[in-house]
Amino acid sequence: MTDHTPPPTDSAEPAVAAGDVRMVTALVRLRGAMQDVALPLDLPGVEERRADHRSMVDQLEDYVIPRVMTLDAPLLAVVGGSTGAGKSTLVNSLVGSTVTTSGVLRPTTRSPVLVHHPDDAHWFGQDRLLPDLHRVEHTTNDPDALQLVASESVPTGLAILDAPDVDSVEERNRTLAAQLLAAADLWLFVTSAARYADQVPWTFLKQAADRSTAVAVVLDRTAPEAVDTVATHLARMLSSRGLKDSPLFVVHEGRVDDDGLLPAGHVREVRAWLTMLAEDSGARSAVVKQTLDGAIRSITHHVHPLVEAASRQAEVAARLREESDRAYELSRSQAVSAVGDGTMLRGEVLARWQEFVGTGELLRSLENRVGWLRDRVVNAVKGKPQQAEKVTVAVESGLELLILEHAEQAAEHAHDAWREHAAGVGLLSQAGPDIGRASRDLRRRAERAVREWQSDVLELVKEEGAEKRSTARFLAFGVNGLSAALMVVVFSSTAGLTGAEVGIAGGSAVLGQKLLEAVFGDQAVRTLAHRAHAMLEQRITALLEVERRRYSELVDGLGLVDGAPEALRAAARRVDDVRFANAKGE
């Protein structure tokens, strides 16, 4: 059995003094920076970082910040251990009455029980230790409740908390046990001769050693003939795992009375040690300082891999966004180019336009030469109002198809690019099977956008011809005919088409321009064509932007905060700076 003096504290790194506003402020900012960090993407190793993240936030909120703000609060000894180790019996025996019960059937949902002296009740309000657990003063199995039991047999300055089994079959119990142990000033770890070598408890004890947490181990329910062998082996295991200074107590196997209590002599040594800690402010402070300093040091140490993981998340999210943005920008650029490079002057649009302007001597002459008088062009046009309307309908259909084709292309390219990344595959699965295609309502929105653009073109012609509506040339074509001609001109506005270019489409575009020039003049036509093209580009861009946002919103929904990794690194550095300054007495 080892010496039962309080565990030493590292004098080079003391806990902060009570009321140290700098440390409290630094820790609160660290918690805020940590809460801004998100790890939503399924990247290699992320599960471990997520667990670390949850654990650090919980320890800051459940223990570190409340403890720094209340260094004079009672020492909290959390009794934890394996299933069937006898934790509840030990707690009841230490207190001298039944204050906590173990589950008859396992796994049983457990509500933690905190036993304290009545004079210390004010230390355990909702705003202090474990703020997420609501306080009750009656027996319950609600794992979200903390049962508060006041007992005169517990000395002031000490509180004992009975936690669920660390190896419980029920996950909620295991999670709660880990949370409670992380909120302890002192771990009173209970094991038995049959369970002391189990792996799960040693995982927790390793965490305690890594954090420099104060630990005392109770070897419970041990037959007298096995004490020396088991205790010696257990002491060697503790020493080899960084816990050589942890007190080791033995509670012999004994008859439990009708109240579920062990004979008082069996727990006398443990009770005496706890009472000594409660009554000796220096010893109690040493335990608190050791655990608190270790917790702070461990948190800031583990921030660095968390920062790296968060930075990696931001990099992958940015790459996914860039790839989908690139796919949609390429399709947008191609669609806008197709609007003005003559692509639209084919098929149905060209056929309806030829019907409007006529296909006789005029068009045949356009294939060979470009010099003609405007009056000759005007006189050659045979169009009727209903034929101009057919041009408009054909344009509407052609533009809708062009927009849909490029939206489909963008969705397919963005989808394929994201599938190259495991994180992208995960996001795509959240979006559903249609994300790789254009939106189902795009056709309807494209129809509306094209019709609105055609209305815009009509208004441009009306505005420009406000002073020419009574002229013979204006009346010869009408607003609809001139609007159709302007659309044809827009469709060739970036193609460099000239009257010297061979081809029906080229000749048709030049004819449309000459018709407009005959009514409005050269400069006015250039201005009209530029404005109409800009309006169409704006509407195409808006349609594809809605499509693009289906991808960008998936990235936005990850909850990644710009600059969060850098802010977390800076916050952790600030905590270390304050800790070192306190160690030097600055």
Side-chain angles (χ1 to χ4, degrees):
M1 191 178 306
T2 64
D3 180 30
H4 295 159
T5 56
T9 184
D10 186 351
S11 59
E13 295 181 340
V16 298
D20 190 332
V21 177
R22 293 181 304 168
M23 179 56 84
V24 173
T25 301
L27 289 169
V28 169
R29 288 177 177 171
L30 177 60
R31 179 188 61 184
M34 205 167 287
Q35 289 173 329
D36 284 341
V37 166
L39 305 172
L41 295 173
D42 293 328
L43 303 178
V46 73
E47 284 301 329
E48 182 179 356
R49 297 286 80 81
R50 286 170 179 166
D52 289 345
H53 185 212
R54 288 191 297 269
S55 175
M56 287 188 284
V57 171
D58 286 344
Q59 191 163 41
L60 280 170
E61 294 180 344
D62 294 343
Y63 175 67
V64 174
I65 294 175
R67 178 45 100 179
V68 171
M69 297 176 68
T70 56
L71 285 176
D72 293 333
L75 178 85
L76 179 65
V78 174
V79 181
S82 304
T83 301
K87 298 184 302 299
S88 297
T89 300
L90 176 65
V91 171
N92 291 332
S93 300
L94 289 171
V95 175
S97 61
T98 303
V99 293
T100 180
T101 58
S102 59
V104 177
L105 299 176
R106 297 184 185 277
T108 301
T109 301
R110 284 291 311 278
S111 173
V113 178
L114 190 149
V115 191
H116 59 84
H117 190 277
D119 292 345
D120 288 335
H122 64 282
W123 289 110
F124 304 109
Q126 191 71 47
D127 59 336
R128 301 291 179 87
L129 175 79
L130 300 165
D132 289 342
L133 299 179
H134 64 271
R135 276 47 173 167
V136 299
E137 296 183 358
H138 58 271
T139 302
T140 176
N141 285 330
D142 181 1
D144 293 322
L146 178 62
Q147 298 181 45
L148 298 179
V149 178
S151 174
E152 295 278 357
S153 62
V154 177
T156 57
L158 173 70
I160 302 174
L161 195 155
D162 183 21
D165 303 329
V166 296
D167 57 354
S168 173
V169 177
E170 188 169 325
E171 182 180 3
R172 183 67 181 88
N173 283 342
R174 297 196 305 272
T175 301
L176 182 57
Q179 181 184 5
L180 297 175
L181 287 169
D185 294 313
L186 168 68
W187 288 17
L188 197 62
F189 218 85
V190 183
T191 188
S192 65
R195 306 296 302 272
Y196 76 93
D198 289 357
Q199 180 60 41
V200 173
W202 284 104
T203 299
F204 279 87
L205 289 170
K206 181 180 184 302
Q207 293 175 1
D210 292 343
R211 296 174 181 169
S212 299
T213 302
V215 176
V217 178
V218 177
L219 181 58
D220 197 19
R221 296 183 175 181
T222 308
E225 63 273 15
V227 167
D228 289 342
T229 301
V230 175
T232 300
H233 187 208
L234 178 55
R236 286 203 301 267
M237 293 180 70
L238 289 168
S239 180
S240 66
R241 289 163 173 79
L243 295 167
K244 64 182 179 62
D245 294 317
S246 297
L248 173 59
F249 301 95
V250 175
V251 175
H252 291 87
E253 190 173 36
R255 186 183 65 82
V256 178
D257 64 21
D258 293 341
D259 293 325
L261 308 181
L262 290 166
H266 286 220
V267 297
R268 181 179 295 112
E269 205 171 12
V270 182
R271 181 190 292 124
W273 186 72
L274 291 174
T275 300
M276 180 271 294
L277 286 178
E279 294 176 347
D280 185 338
S281 61
R284 187 171 69 247
S285 177
V287 171
V288 172
K289 287 181 177 180
Q290 175 183 332
T291 299
L292 181 56
D293 240 14
I296 294 173
R297 188 171 59 251
S298 175
I299 289 171
T300 58
H301 175 74
H302 284 89
V303 157
H304 302 295
L306 181 60
V307 167
E308 292 177 2
S311 298
R312 178 62 178 157
Q313 293 267 327
E315 291 169 3
V316 173
R319 184 176 306 144
L320 292 174
R321 187 191 299 276
E322 289 169 2
E323 289 178 347
S324 57
D325 286 353
R326 187 182 305 117
Y328 277 93
E329 175 54 29
L330 177 61
S331 287
R332 188 203 70 82
S333 177
Q334 291 175 342
V336 171
S337 295
V339 163
D341 67 4
T343 299
M344 288 292 298
L345 297 179
R346 61 180 61 168
E348 188 70 13
V349 173
L350 180 60
R352 299 290 79 79
W353 173 248
Q354 287 178 343
E355 287 179 359
F356 178 64
V357 299
T359 57
E361 292 294 329
L362 176 64
L363 284 178
R364 281 196 292 273
S365 69
L366 289 177
E367 296 176 21
N368 300 313
R369 62 191 182 87
V370 298
W372 67 85
L373 298 175
R374 287 174 178 168
D375 286 344
R376 181 179 174 187
V377 173
V378 173
N379 292 334
V381 173
K382 309 296 184 183
K384 305 289 186 186
Q386 62 270 28
Q387 291 171 325
E389 181 62 27
K390 291 179 180 179
V391 176
T392 300
V393 172
V395 166
E396 179 182 334
S397 177
L399 281 176
E400 290 168 9
L401 181 60
L402 182 141
I403 292 168
L404 288 171
E405 287 178 347
H406 284 85
E408 289 284 355
Q409 172 186 291
E412 181 180 351
H413 289 173
H415 186 271
D416 290 347
W418 278 30
R419 284 188 60 83
E420 295 295 320
H421 307 276
V425 172
L427 283 181
L428 291 172
S429 66
Q430 299 174 21
D434 292 340
I435 189 70
R437 301 287 306 276
S439 299
R440 294 185 179 183
D441 67 340
L442 178 60
R443 181 179 295 276
R444 175 182 55 79
R445 290 187 287 110
E447 288 176 356
R448 183 171 65 248
V450 171
R451 287 172 184 166
E452 289 173 349
W453 175 70
Q454 289 176 324
S455 296
D456 292 341
V457 172
L458 198 66
E459 288 301 316
L460 286 176
V461 171
K462 286 181 179 179
E463 291 174 7
E464 188 65 30
E467 298 179 357
K468 300 181 175 64
R469 291 185 180 180
S470 61
T471 63
R473 289 174 179 174
F474 192 96
L475 294 173
F477 306 117
V479 174
N480 289 340
L482 292 171
S483 297
L486 181 53
M487 293 178 203
V488 169
V489 170
V490 168
F491 296 154
S492 64
S493 60
T494 63
L497 296 174
T498 68
E501 182 174 345
V502 178
I504 297 297
S508 298
V510 174
L511 177 56
Q513 183 165 337
K514 293 304 177 182
L515 290 177
L516 292 171
E517 289 176 354
V519 178
F520 300 120
D522 297 357
Q523 182 57 46
V525 172
R526 284 193 291 271
T527 301
L528 287 171
H530 176 76
R531 292 178 62 188
H533 186 278
M535 289 175 172
L536 182 54
E537 179 178 352
Q538 184 179 23
R539 293 189 182 279
I540 292 174
T541 298
L543 288 169
L544 291 179
E545 171 62 17
V546 172
E547 295 294 289
R548 184 193 66 82
R549 282 204 296 267
R550 296 184 304 155
Y551 284 86
S552 63
E553 285 174 355
L554 290 175
V555 179
D556 293 340
L558 295 173
L560 299 177
V561 178
D562 289 343
E566 294 75 15
L568 177 58
R569 181 185 287 110
R573 186 180 300 117
R574 176 57 180 163
V575 170
D576 281 336
D577 289 344
V578 173
R579 188 165 60 87
F580 293 142
N582 286 338
K584 295 177 181 179
E586 297 177 0

